Amino acid sequence: MSQPEPVRRPDGLTVPESPLAGAAFAAVGWRVVRRRWRALLPTAAVTALVLATVDTALAVWIFGNAQAAGASAFDVTRPLVAWMSDPQGSTALVGKAVAAIIATAVLLPMVATAAAAAVVAEANLDGAGADRGYLRRALALAPVCVTTTLLAALVAGAPVALIGLAMAWLPAKLAQAALLLVGAAPALVWAVFVTVRLSLAPQAVVMERLGPVVALRRTWGLTRANTVRVALITIASSFITAVAGALLAAPVTALGTLASAGQTEASVGKLLSEHFLRMSVTTLVSVAGSGVIAALLFIDLRRRQAPPPSPDNLPPSPPPSQ
């Protein structure tokens, strides 16, 4: 089945038909956001608000448990990450907190990722109905994206998990240390390598309607000769979206600082409100920006892998003018 031809816009195609250079991803990604922001905003905004709500509720829960435990040196201004790593020495608190957030942190972004891939796929055609039906497709394929992501994580993390199980069963500390020393580095290298090679599997699910296993095979083949390129573009896009999110969230921090001027201590409610707003903005930018760049990267790799047209399939040349 042939792909429909893109509609020629007077201001140019949203996604160029030629492969993208490294620096062009930011420009094309910004163009997609400008022309398709109405389609990208709903799922990205809902994802950001829900994740910020869960994170803020988790912060309230951690602070409340620390105060209830009688922590005399409790400091509400301490970063949430610090409480997560050492909440007054309570490892049980960390386990409960991780269990509380893992579902939304893993499942919900997949809906936004699927939506971004569907929007970019339709924007690639520049059709008049490019904004229609993307949410329905994203919701329908989000469970497949989640399954694909979990399978990729299983493949990438299997050696690390095996080392952990072996260390738990080995009785001698010397044997555990030897296993950790010999196996940790290769296992971590494998985990990073496989994560990069399979990072575009959700985009394969949405843009080519593939199942989990076929999508993993597809993205493994696409990234075969482009592993370093995929890693660099992913890192660069994460850095750019993080900086953009921090810049957009800066007014929230500035307003909070002005509101707290002259006060010796900021209230817990004010600190948590600032945390909620700041995380909402940064997550919104990160989810939308990273999703768009990943979809563009998948399109780019697919074009680079496509063989050049055969001379037998080229259209006939027009007859010379008389």
Side-chain angles (χ1 to χ4, degrees):
M1 182 177 179
S2 60
Q3 293 287 338
E5 289 294 326
V7 176
R8 302 293 175 176
R9 293 172 54 115
D11 52 350
L13 292 173
T14 301
V15 181
E17 295 176 315
S18 58
L20 299 176
F25 278 92
V28 177
W30 174 242
R31 188 187 308 159
V32 171
V33 171
R34 282 192 297 108
R35 295 182 178 180
R36 296 289 186 272
W37 67 269
R38 291 182 181 86
L40 292 168
L41 184 60
T43 51
V46 170
T47 300
L49 291 175
V50 172
L51 289 179
T53 301
V54 172
D55 188 81
T56 305
L58 183 60
V60 173
W61 184 73
I62 289 178
F63 293 155
N65 276 267
Q67 287 180 323
S72 57
F74 178 75
D75 181 11
V76 73
T77 62
R78 190 180 184 192
L80 178 59
V81 175
W83 286 107
M84 289 289 292
S85 60
D86 183 23
Q88 299 298 327
S90 174
T91 55
L93 192 60
V94 176
K96 293 178 181 178
V98 171
I101 200 173
I102 191 170
T104 52
V106 173
L107 301 180
L108 193 58
M110 278 294 104
V111 178
T113 298
V119 170
V120 173
E122 294 181 341
N124 188 38
L125 302 176
D126 275 314
D131 291 343
R132 302 173 185 172
Y134 81 98
L135 185 56
R136 183 170 59 253
R137 186 195 304 185
L139 293 175
L141 294 176
V144 186
C145 291
V146 172
T147 304
T148 305
T149 302
L150 292 178
L151 285 176
L154 181 63
V155 174
V160 178
L162 290 176
I163 290 176
L165 291 175
M167 291 180 61
W169 282 95
L170 288 176
K173 292 186 177 180
L174 182 60
Q176 293 179 353
L179 178 63
L180 183 63
L181 182 63
V182 174
L188 290 176
V189 171
W190 168 262
V192 173
F193 175 75
V194 173
T195 299
V196 173
R197 290 291 300 270
L198 301 179
S199 60
L200 301 178
Q203 284 69 35
V205 169
V206 177
M207 304 180 84
E208 297 188 354
R209 307 294 183 93
L210 303 178
V213 176
V214 180
L216 292 177
R217 291 176 179 172
R218 172 65 165 155
T219 188
W220 185 271
L222 284 177
T223 56
R224 185 184 305 277
N226 296 277
T227 306
V228 176
R229 186 168 182 268
V230 171
L232 292 178
I233 292 175
T234 303
I235 293 172
S237 67
S238 300
F239 175 77
I240 292 173
T241 54
V243 171
L247 292 176
L248 291 176
V252 176
T253 305
L255 289 175
T257 303
L258 292 176
S260 303
Q263 300 180 10
T264 56
E265 293 183 1
S267 66
V268 175
K270 185 176 296 183
L271 290 171
L272 292 176
S273 299
E274 292 177 15
H275 176 76
F276 173 80
L277 294 174
R278 186 164 54 248
M279 185 173 180
S280 297
V281 174
T282 54
T283 306
L284 173 65
V285 175
S286 175
V287 167
S290 299
V292 168
I293 294 298
L296 290 175
L297 184 55
F298 182 82
I299 292 175
D300 178 71
L301 293 180
R302 191 167 58 182
R303 287 174 176 169
R304 291 175 182 272
Q305 191 190 59
S310 171
D312 298 334
N313 297 329
L314 292 177
S317 303
S321 56
Q322 298 295 332

